[in-house]
Amino acid sequence: MDKIEKKGGILIVPDHVIIPFITGDGIGKEITPVCLGVVDAAVNSAYGSGRSILWQEVPAGQDCFEKRGTYLPDETLQAFKEYLVGLKGPLMTPVGGGIRSLNVALRQTLDLYVCLRPVRYFSGVASPVRHPEKVDICVFRENTEDIYAGIEWESGSPQARKFGNFLRNEMGVSKVRFPDSSAYGVKPVSREGSERLIRSAIQYAISHNRPSVTLVHKGNIMKFTEGGFRAWGYELAQREFGQYIDSGALRIDDCICDAFLQNALLTPEKYSVVATLNLNGDYISDMLAAQVGGIGISPGANINYESGHAIFEATHGVAPAIAGKDIANPSSIILSAAMMLDYMGWSEASSIITDTLAQAFRQGIATPDIASSHENGHAVGTKEFGRKLISLMDSK
């Protein structure tokens, strides 16, 4: 067994590779083991004994805090740094006090500047829209800047008062309506951060034969942050990818975020790859996921294409209300693991997973959240769903 490396801009993946993983909180304890079993079966189906994964569990989350007094140990961060590619179940994020977000901490620490959310429809999955099959959109969400940088001060705190005084006295800002009770947040958006995100989106579109990249922003209101994102995007596209644009192989356009949210419901087929800032991407990816059946079947990845670091994750939360009941849907983390295999260059195993899931959904084999709305639905538990997927692989 060996570790993945990035050399000369190329990801070097050994045939027998160590992949660190975080089981996660809540339903993570149920869906992550199922995912590992499905991935192992797909790798074996595709390559036999020629390739394999040694899964290395690393601690994080609520259980880790209760046992060790920390939500995210240094050894976990070091493992992801060392082995480059990892897998993660859902982690609890408390509202209000406590840690801000383990997910954000991982993205910031490892500089995983791309949050990649491909959204597609699987036949047999119930949808609230008439034509979910028209949705096939890859969202590139900037992952390290915007308000998710976590620069904010609580109302009434000395820091908030100091910042408010600075705005009024040093910057001449007079538009804070209730300065004495205002909390403040800072929204950093840089040219470098915007360009590397948009560059990744364009490179993805070209390598995956997708026809367009749409810059989604709110630049009509936030003219220098979101407006800067749009302007820098057009400049970079013409400077670095002008030959593709001029030949008609690639179209670069943009859309105001609120208009995009409407358009993506009415005419989703007009969009292929979307590049957007952090908060917009949060809203957009969940809205698109709802059209194809929800975040329970939506995969996600956090990637630094320059260093090679990537963490693939379930996009949903810990779902404490159903934890321990063997009814949680493991499809999100399974599809995220399929993305991981594709990222590693193991596309044959990745295709086996997605094709098998598609077959199961067509047949109505699913956890209760999906099977209940299928015409011929056959609801199975979390563990049984994993076994059914492996059985379908074996029968091919």
Side-chain angles (χ1 to χ4, degrees):
M1 293 287 178
D2 211 340
K3 59 187 72 172
I4 298 172
E5 297 179 296
K6 188 81 179 280
K7 293 182 178 180
I10 299 173
L11 206 65
I12 308 298
V13 182
D15 288 335
H16 304 283
V17 62
I18 298 171
I19 301 290
F21 75 96
I22 295 171
T23 297
D25 297 318
I27 61 171
K29 299 173 184 177
E30 300 165 77
I31 64 172
T32 302
V34 168
C35 171
L36 302 188
V38 169
V39 172
D40 286 342
V43 170
N44 182 69
S45 178
Y47 313 113
S49 60
R51 288 179 177 174
S52 64
I53 295 173
L54 175 64
W55 299 103
Q56 178 178 308
E57 184 172 12
V58 291
Q62 186 63 37
D63 282 354
C64 180
F65 179 77
E66 291 173 0
K67 294 175 182 177
R68 305 175 57 168
T70 177
Y71 288 98
L72 188 60
D74 290 341
E75 67 193 71
T76 297
L77 286 172
Q78 183 56 39
F80 285 124
K81 288 178 181 178
E82 182 178 355
Y83 294 103
L84 291 190
V85 174
L87 184 70
K88 184 181 76 61
L91 291 171
M92 182 274 300
T93 298
V95 176
I99 57 170
R100 184 175 296 277
S101 169
L102 286 176
N103 299 319
V104 172
L106 284 165
R107 296 166 191 168
Q108 294 278 351
T109 303
L110 298 172
D111 196 25
L112 305 175
Y113 59 86
V114 169
C115 179
L116 175 57
R117 298 276 183 90
V119 185
R120 55 158 289 189
Y121 176 66
F122 287 95
S123 178
V125 177
S127 166
V129 299
R130 186 172 298 174
H131 292 292
E133 72 280 359
K134 294 182 178 181
V135 179
D136 184 10
I137 302 172
C138 291
V139 178
F140 275 71
R141 168 190 173 193
E142 202 290 319
N143 223 8
T144 61
E145 297 190 317
D146 200 358
I147 62 171
Y148 282 72
I151 307 169
E152 62 174 352
W153 299 283
E154 184 178 5
S155 171
S157 68
Q159 295 88 346
R161 287 194 294 271
K162 183 176 182 179
F163 188 73
N165 289 333
F166 171 77
L167 290 177
R168 290 191 300 273
N169 299 330
E170 301 294 330
M171 301 299 292
V173 174
S174 60
K175 295 180 180 179
V176 179
R177 191 169 298 276
F178 303 106
D180 293 337
S181 63
S182 288
Y184 294 95
V186 177
K187 178 187 175 77
V189 177
S190 69
R191 177 188 288 270
E192 294 89 343
S194 299
E195 285 188 344
R196 65 181 185 173
L197 181 279
I198 295 164
R199 180 182 297 111
S200 298
I202 294 174
Q203 289 172 336
Y204 182 94
I206 292 170
S207 64
H208 290 77
N209 297 311
R210 287 180 169 262
S212 66
V213 175
T214 302
L215 309 174
V216 178
H217 60 92
K218 193 63 179 172
N220 57 328
I221 302 299
M222 290 169 276
K223 299 184 184 297
F224 305 119
T225 50
E226 307 243 349
F229 177 85
R230 173 189 178 275
W232 298 325
Y234 275 118
E235 291 170 8
L236 174 130
Q238 192 58 56
R239 183 175 70 245
E240 297 186 11
F241 303 96
Q243 69 272 30
Y244 296 96
I245 299 169
D246 296 342
S247 70
L250 180 68
R251 184 180 74 255
I252 306 293
D253 56 21
D254 74 279
C255 189
I256 301 295
C257 189
D258 45 328
F260 174 84
L261 292 171
Q262 174 181 247
N263 296 345
L265 283 167
L266 298 173
T267 54
E269 67 274 14
K270 291 184 177 180
Y271 300 102
S272 179
V273 176
V274 166
T276 191
L277 287 166
N278 211 328
L279 183 60
N280 293 337
D282 204 356
Y283 298 151
I284 288 169
S285 56
D286 279 12
M287 183 277 289
L288 292 174
Q291 293 188 61
V292 299
I295 58 175
I297 59 167
S298 297
N302 303 286
I303 304 171
N304 184 318
Y305 285 100
E306 297 165 3
S307 69
H309 288 97
I311 298 178
F312 298 81
E313 64 180 356
T315 59
H316 53 72
V318 300
I322 63 170
K325 297 182 179 180
D326 194 37
I327 59 174
N329 186 348
S331 299
S332 175
I333 193 169
I334 290 173
L335 286 168
S336 298
M339 288 177 64
M340 180 189 76
L341 293 172
D342 194 55
Y343 179 77
M344 291 162 52
W346 294 12
S347 56
E348 298 86 357
S350 176
S351 294
I352 287 172
I353 291 175
T354 53
D355 292 348
T356 302
L357 268 174
Q359 180 183 354
F361 291 149
R362 284 196 303 270
Q363 296 177 4
I365 301 170
T367 46
D369 56 317
I370 291 178
S372 61
S373 56
H374 194 286
E375 183 178 353
N376 301 307
H378 174 57
V380 295
T382 308
K383 294 178 182 177
E384 180 63 18
F385 184 59
R387 290 192 288 266
K388 290 283 188 182
L389 294 177
I390 294 171
S391 177
L392 288 172
M393 292 180 197
D394 292 339
S395 66
K396 293 181 178 179

